[in-house]
Amino acid sequence: MDFNMKKLASDAGIFFTRAVQFTEEKFGQAEKTELDAHFENLLARADSTKNWTERILRQTEVLLQPNPSARVEEFLYEKLDRKVPSRVTNGELLAQYMAEAASELGPGTPYGKTLIKVSEAEKRLGAAERDFIHTASLSFLTPLRNFLEGDWKTISKERRLLQNRRLDLDACKARLKKAKAAEAKATAEQELRVAQTEFDRQAEVTRLLLEGISSTHVNHLRCLHEFVKSQTTYYAQCYRHMLDLQKQLGSSQGTIFPGTFVGTTEPASPPLSSTSPTTTAATMPVVPTGTGLAPPEETALCLEEVAPPASGTRKARVLYDYEAADSSELALLADELITVYSLPGMDPDWLIGERGNKKGKVPVTYLELLS
């Protein structure tokens, strides 16, 4: 008990001395040992890294889980070291509602059939979103949290210890200045040497930790690449799912809305390697179907022998590069102008395109119809 009381009294004395030194520095009544410019730059870079890591982490959490209540719930589960319960994504919930609506309204009706197709696509989108959230959390959010909860806490602890060592050093310098007697000066000089040694040692430890921020940047850079990779995969999956759905719905539009070509109100997203401005595709009437015309299969095989209709041709600007899959299709280059028209019985997702003497099928979603 006696030892503990002495230690407590000693700690209280040190704390009081540091408080006095800190207060006098704030009022300009005491000198302060300044750190060198390189050390200050390391401190500033570390603080910026910590602040921006926090902001990026929080906003990424919002991106992956927009619902604040759900984020709080997941945070509590993590703090309690319990497994976060599986949560239905918004896409999967929408798919469930659409499937139930189709069942009640009539799965055999055009509306019911379409609801079923869309619900299946939304379910796939929801599953892709779930995989993206899981991958992004492991490869991006977890390393950022580990830095804030591990490395940064260690840096903060050592910085506080360095601050205390500096206050002790400056307090010793102040006592040496005030000492008059030789014995008091000798004692003050000895205390100053010890304080200087401890300060230098702590400054070196803190400096090494601060220089480690460069390794943190390298690690976060690698994680950022992983995040972009997972996001790219996710959006590519979404694009494929929606393109498949668009083709399914397009193939059924001719039976639901006979005699009319229904274009998309907006072109589908371009391939991931393309960069083109977002434009709006127009709608275009189809030449009415007549009797005695060749079926679509024969039309596709004899495109070079098919003459464009007297009316109904239009100019179109190509939005994205397109590589022809076979000889029946026309390869396209972004921003070029071609003449397009439709043939009776064609898939509404496709048109006939002409460029000089070349002719072939072209996808509607790659075009901006002009006049």
Side-chain angles (χ1 to χ4, degrees), residues 94 97-119 249 252 255-257:
L94 177 59
Y97 289 165
M98 287 184 170
E100 292 175 357
S103 177
E104 185 171 333
L105 300 177
T109 64
Y111 182 41
K113 290 180 180 178
T114 303
L115 278 173
I116 292 174
K117 291 180 179 179
V118 177
S119 71
L249 297 183
S252 63
T255 57
I256 301 174
F257 308 106

Side-chain angles (χ1 to χ4, degrees), residues 13 42 45 96 108 142 168 205 211 213 245 286 302 341 347 370:
L42 291 176
R45 186 176 66 153
Q96 178 184 335
T142 298
D168 293 342
V205 171
E211 289 177 345
I213 291 293
L245 175 62
V286 172
C302 307
Y341 52 89
D347 186 332
L370 301 176

Side-chain angles (χ1 to χ4, degrees), residues 39 42 155 202-213:
F39 202 102
L42 291 176
I155 292 174
Q202 185 58 37
E204 180 64 16
V205 171
T206 308
R207 183 185 63 80
L208 291 175
L209 289 173
L210 293 174
E211 289 177 345
I213 291 293

Side-chain angles (χ1 to χ4, degrees), residues 4 6 20 22 34 43 70 88 139 152 164 176 187 195 208 213 215 224 228 231 238 255 258 272 285 295 325 328 337:
N4 290 337
K6 288 182 179 180
V20 170
F22 181 81
E34 299 293 343
L43 289 172
V88 178
S139 63
W152 181 253
N164 290 336
L176 179 60
T187 303
L208 291 175
I213 291 293
S215 299
L224 186 60
V228 172
Q231 200 170 29
C238 292
T255 57
L272 295 174
S328 68
L337 295 177

Side-chain angles (χ1 to χ4, degrees), residues 50-359:
K50 179 258 186 182
N51 293 334
W52 283 111
T53 299
E54 283 182 333
R55 296 177 69 176
I56 292 172
L57 172 65
R58 299 294 174 256
Q59 191 56 39
T60 306
E61 289 176 335
V62 172
L63 173 68
L64 299 181
Q65 178 50 268
N67 188 333
S69 299
R71 291 200 303 274
V72 172
E73 181 182 351
E74 292 173 0
F75 174 78
L76 293 177
Y77 272 99
E78 290 176 359
K79 289 302 180 182
L80 295 174
D81 198 21
R82 297 175 59 183
K83 183 179 179 181
V84 179
S86 178
R87 193 185 305 277
V88 178
T89 64
N90 292 327
E92 291 171 325
L93 188 59
L94 177 59
Q96 178 184 335
Y97 289 165
M98 287 184 170
E100 292 175 357
S103 177
E104 185 171 333
L105 300 177
T109 64
Y111 182 41
K113 290 180 180 178
T114 303
L115 278 173
I116 292 174
K117 291 180 179 179
V118 177
S119 71
E120 291 172 351
E122 293 296 336
K123 186 175 181 180
R124 289 192 290 270
L125 290 176
E129 181 185 2
R130 184 190 301 278
D131 291 341
F132 166 58
I133 293 174
H134 177 72
T135 303
S137 296
L138 289 179
S139 63
F140 190 58
L141 291 185
T142 298
L144 297 188
R145 288 197 190 97
N146 289 342
F147 165 71
L148 293 173
E149 297 175 2
D151 293 350
W152 181 253
K153 285 187 176 180
T154 301
I155 292 174
S156 299
K157 176 184 176 182
E158 297 300 330
R159 285 177 67 177
R160 288 193 299 269
L161 189 55
L162 177 63
Q163 171 74 349
N164 290 336
R165 293 288 182 263
R166 187 197 60 76
L167 291 172
D168 293 342
L169 175 62
D170 289 336
C172 289
K173 290 179 178 179
R175 282 198 296 271
L176 179 60
K177 284 185 178 182
K178 296 177 182 178
K180 301 299 181 181
E183 184 178 351
K185 284 186 177 182
T187 303
E189 288 174 352
Q190 176 63 26
E191 292 177 349
L192 178 60
R193 283 193 293 270
V194 172
Q196 185 71 57
T197 301
E198 292 181 348
F199 171 78
D200 292 342
R201 183 186 299 114
Q202 185 58 37
E204 180 64 16
V205 171
T206 308
R207 183 185 63 80
L208 291 175
L209 289 173
L210 293 174
E211 289 177 345
I213 291 293
S214 296
S215 299
T216 298
H217 287 184
V218 173
N219 184 42
H220 287 185
L221 174 61
R222 182 168 53 250
C223 296
L224 186 60
H225 278 281
E226 290 296 323
F227 175 69
V228 172
K229 181 180 177 181
S230 63
Q231 200 170 29
T232 301
T233 301
Y234 168 57
Y235 285 122
Q237 290 175 336
C238 292
Y239 173 74
R240 288 196 298 269
H241 294 327
M242 294 311 297
L243 195 60
D244 290 343
L245 175 62
Q246 188 181 48
K247 290 180 179 179
Q248 291 179 42
L249 297 183
S251 63
S252 63
Q253 285 175 348
T255 57
I256 301 174
F257 308 106
T260 306
F261 170 78
V262 181
T264 55
T265 57
E266 239 180 65
S269 301
L272 295 174
S273 60
S274 302
T275 54
S276 300
T278 303
T279 55
T280 303
T283 59
M284 171 180 166
V286 172
V287 179
T289 304
T291 58
L293 294 175
E297 293 80 2
E298 295 181 15
T299 301
L301 296 175
C302 307
L303 289 179
E304 296 299 332
E305 302 175 5
V306 175
S311 61
T313 61
R314 301 182 66 171
K315 290 292 184 182
R317 185 175 70 86
V318 178
L319 298 176
Y320 328 111
D321 292 348
Y322 177 75
E323 183 177 353
D326 53 48
S327 58
S328 68
E329 297 181 4
L330 182 67
L332 303 175
L333 294 176
D335 295 326
E336 70 172 325
L337 295 177
I338 61 173
T339 300
V340 295
Y341 52 89
S342 178
L343 294 177
M346 278 191 65
D347 186 332
D349 289 336
W350 295 83
L351 293 173
I352 303 300
E354 287 189 359
R355 184 202 307 110
N357 296 327
K358 294 185 178 181
K359 182 187 303 183

